[in-house]
Amino acid sequence: MDREISKKEKRRARLKQFIKIGIGTAIAVSLLIIVISFMQSSITRKDIMISTVDRGTIEVSVNSMGKVIPAFEEIINSPINSRIMEIYKKGGDEVDVGTPILKLDLQSAETEYRKLLDEEQMLRLQLEQLHINTRSKLSEMEMKLKISKMELNRKEVELRNEQYLDSLGAGTTDKVRQVELSYKVGQLQLNEDEEKYKNEQSISVADLKVKELELNIFRKSLAEVKRTLEDAQIRSPRKAILTYVNNEVGAQINQGSRVAIISDLSHFKIAGEIADSYGDRIAVGSKVVVKIGNNKLNGMVSDMTPLSKNGILTFTAQLEEDNHPRLRSGLKADVYVMNAIKEDVLRIANASYYVGKGEYELFVVNDDQLLKRKVQLGDSNFEYVEVVSGLQLGDEVVVSDMSDYLEKSKLKLKNK
């Protein structure tokens, strides 16, 4: 005969069942946490970059940003106020010396040039006229001098005759004095004419020089206008690539406005920028290393601005291999400017983890674990970073991006 189960036994049975379910759930959750934690706290060696601490030399450098630009680039500006009539070439075309690029409206400039040619001819004729007048006037004065000399010679003879007659008693003293006075007046007149002739020669020479100088100055101005007119026929000054052209037919162009740019795209240089706080670490002649992808190109600073703009100094670097296949105009590049050498220092590989001198938390290999350690790092170049403290020779350090493990102090290292 079945007996009735008491309420107390029923409650005990339900409690046991709840306890079993709770224990099972707790075990399942714990296992899940352990699995997730194990998965998050382990990393495979092949997925990270590891650098071994060694001892050597570091050529200390300052990192900056740079851009590849053509080694040669020339901006062609309009020499006159005009407007664009025709376009002969487009951007990207190869041009040779003298190749027409575009045509400007030169009607006004050519009219002005012809007017100046007329003025130049008028000045030249005025100079010729001055030469003729000068020769005529000097010739007339020379003739007058000859007449005066002849007249004086006649008076000298007359004076001698009167003096001779007076010595014979056939003449008179008054007559001798009269002829003598006439002779002296003739001498004074001749001296005056000779002085006038010399002065006229000097004045004529000066007038001719002034007129010739005026003509030469005008001719120089005329030559400048002619050169401007020739430049207004926009042509390429050398063999290069046309990288820009103003192709707006009919557009008004002011004097000095850019109408075209030609560039040599077979050779390149680097235009770099650096914070002015590093201005004392860079100078003309400083060695540079330019990184473009996995390629490293050597060069040197060839030019730099003496003043900063918005806290930035700009400089130009010439490359030893300025025609490298990877070089493309406008391409961004990392530029390392060498400024000192440190020998016999501990060092590790440079990578994205390094952002400058200071304290870092890096993972160091310890058997099958990665342990986070505080490390003091110093100067650097594009290959190495100086280890100041926190690491020893032979330590293996993770130099990969470990930002996903900022909260971890240790990780399990798996070989596969």
Side-chain angles (χ1 to χ4, degrees), residues 95-128:
V95 291
D96 211 333
V97 178
T99 301
I101 297 175
L102 56 83
K103 180 182 179 180
L104 298 180
D105 183 1
L106 304 180
Q107 185 175 356
S108 297
E110 288 173 345
T111 301
E112 181 65 23
Y113 178 66
R114 285 193 293 270
K115 178 182 176 182
L116 293 175
L117 284 175
D118 292 339
E119 290 185 24
E120 188 266 345
Q121 185 178 8
M122 182 179 67
L123 288 173
R124 180 171 53 81
L125 292 174
Q126 288 176 352
L127 179 60
E128 291 179 1

Side-chain angles (χ1 to χ4, degrees), residues 52-56 345-347 387 390-396:
T52 302
V53 179
D54 67 356
R55 188 178 293 277
V345 296
L346 293 178
R347 61 189 189 179
V387 177
L391 295 174
Q392 296 180 350
L393 187 66
D395 282 347
E396 292 183 309

Side-chain angles (χ1 to χ4, degrees), residues 371-388:
L371 303 180
K372 185 176 286 185
R373 187 186 302 179
K374 288 186 177 181
V375 178
Q376 192 74 24
L377 300 180
D379 290 315
S380 70
N381 63 14
F382 64 96
E383 290 182 305
Y384 298 105
V385 176
E386 176 190 13
V387 177
V388 178

Side-chain angles (χ1 to χ4, degrees), residues 290-316:
V290 179
K291 285 187 68 178
I292 300 177
N294 294 326
N295 299 101
K296 299 172 185 176
L297 304 176
N298 295 322
M300 63 177 291
V301 176
S302 60
D303 181 48
M304 65 178 296
T305 56
L307 300 176
S308 67
K309 184 177 181 180
N310 298 325
I312 298 296
L313 287 173
T314 59
F315 63 92
T316 303

Side-chain angles (χ1 to χ4, degrees), residues 259-272:
V259 293
I261 299 176
I262 59 170
S263 307
D264 179 1
L265 298 184
S266 60
H267 298 273
F268 299 90
K269 58 185 177 182
I270 303 297

Side-chain angles (χ1 to χ4, degrees), residues 94-352:
E94 184 175 349
V95 291
D96 211 333
V97 178
T99 301
I101 297 175
L102 56 83
K103 180 182 179 180
L104 298 180
D105 183 1
L106 304 180
Q107 185 175 356
S108 297
E110 288 173 345
T111 301
E112 181 65 23
Y113 178 66
R114 285 193 293 270
K115 178 182 176 182
L116 293 175
L117 284 175
D118 292 339
E119 290 185 24
E120 188 266 345
Q121 185 178 8
M122 182 179 67
L123 288 173
R124 180 171 53 81
L125 292 174
Q126 288 176 352
L127 179 60
E128 291 179 1
Q129 185 179 21
L130 182 60
H131 272 288
I132 293 171
N133 291 338
T134 299
R135 284 196 301 268
S136 176
K137 190 171 185 179
L138 290 176
S139 296
E140 184 179 340
M141 294 183 73
E142 285 177 2
M143 184 60 67
K144 187 176 180 181
L145 276 175
K146 289 179 181 179
I147 294 172
S148 295
K149 287 179 181 179
M150 292 173 64
E151 184 67 24
L152 185 63
N153 288 336
R154 184 186 65 77
K155 289 180 179 181
E156 184 179 9
V157 171
E158 185 179 355
L159 176 61
R160 284 199 301 268
N161 290 336
E162 288 296 329
Q163 288 174 340
Y164 177 71
L165 291 173
D166 184 51
S167 66
L168 296 176
T172 62
T173 304
D174 290 340
K175 182 66 174 177
V176 171
R177 288 177 179 174
Q178 183 180 356
V179 173
E180 186 179 8
L181 179 61
S182 177
Y183 173 72
K184 289 181 178 179
V185 171
Q187 277 187 322
L188 292 175
Q189 186 65 47
L190 178 61
N191 292 337
E192 182 183 2
D193 289 343
E194 288 177 339
E195 191 65 29
K196 285 183 178 180
Y197 179 73
K198 290 179 182 178
N199 291 340
E200 187 62 33
Q201 280 184 316
S202 300
I203 292 172
S204 298
V205 169
D207 287 344
L208 287 171
K209 285 184 177 179
V210 169
K211 206 66 177 178
E212 287 173 351
L213 182 60
E214 182 181 347
L215 179 58
N216 288 335
I217 292 174
F218 188 86
R219 282 174 172 170
K220 288 179 181 178
S221 300
L222 183 62
E224 181 67 21
V225 172
K226 182 180 180 182
R227 186 188 64 81
T228 301
L229 189 59
E230 290 173 350
D231 289 345
Q233 300 172 15
I234 307 299
R235 300 175 183 271
S236 174
R238 64 183 68 214
K239 185 175 182 179
I241 300 297
L242 184 64
T243 52
Y244 166 81
V245 62
N246 187 334
N247 56 7
E248 298 180 21
V249 176
Q252 290 293 134
I253 301 297
N254 294 325
Q255 182 179 0
S257 298
R258 183 179 63 179
V259 293
I261 299 176
I262 59 170
S263 307
D264 179 1
L265 298 184
S266 60
H267 298 273
F268 299 90
K269 58 185 177 182
I270 303 297
E273 293 183 345
I274 194 169
D276 57 7
S277 57
Y278 294 106
D280 59 339
R281 299 192 186 185
I282 180 172
V284 174
S286 297
K287 178 183 175 183
V288 301
V289 174
V290 179
K291 285 187 68 178
I292 300 177
N294 294 326
N295 299 101
K296 299 172 185 176
L297 304 176
N298 295 322
M300 63 177 291
V301 176
S302 60
D303 181 48
M304 65 178 296
T305 56
L307 300 176
S308 67
K309 184 177 181 180
N310 298 325
I312 298 296
L313 287 173
T314 59
F315 63 92
T316 303
Q318 299 289 345
L319 300 173
E320 293 178 3
E321 192 179 357
D322 62 2
N323 59 348
H324 192 278
R326 284 298 308 276
L327 294 172
R328 293 288 184 275
S329 183
L331 193 65
K332 299 292 184 180
D334 292 319
V335 182
Y336 299 86
V337 183
M338 308 301 174
N339 61 85
I341 295 178
K342 286 190 173 183
E343 297 181 346
D344 196 31
V345 296
L346 293 178
R347 61 189 189 179
I348 57 176
N350 195 346
S352 59

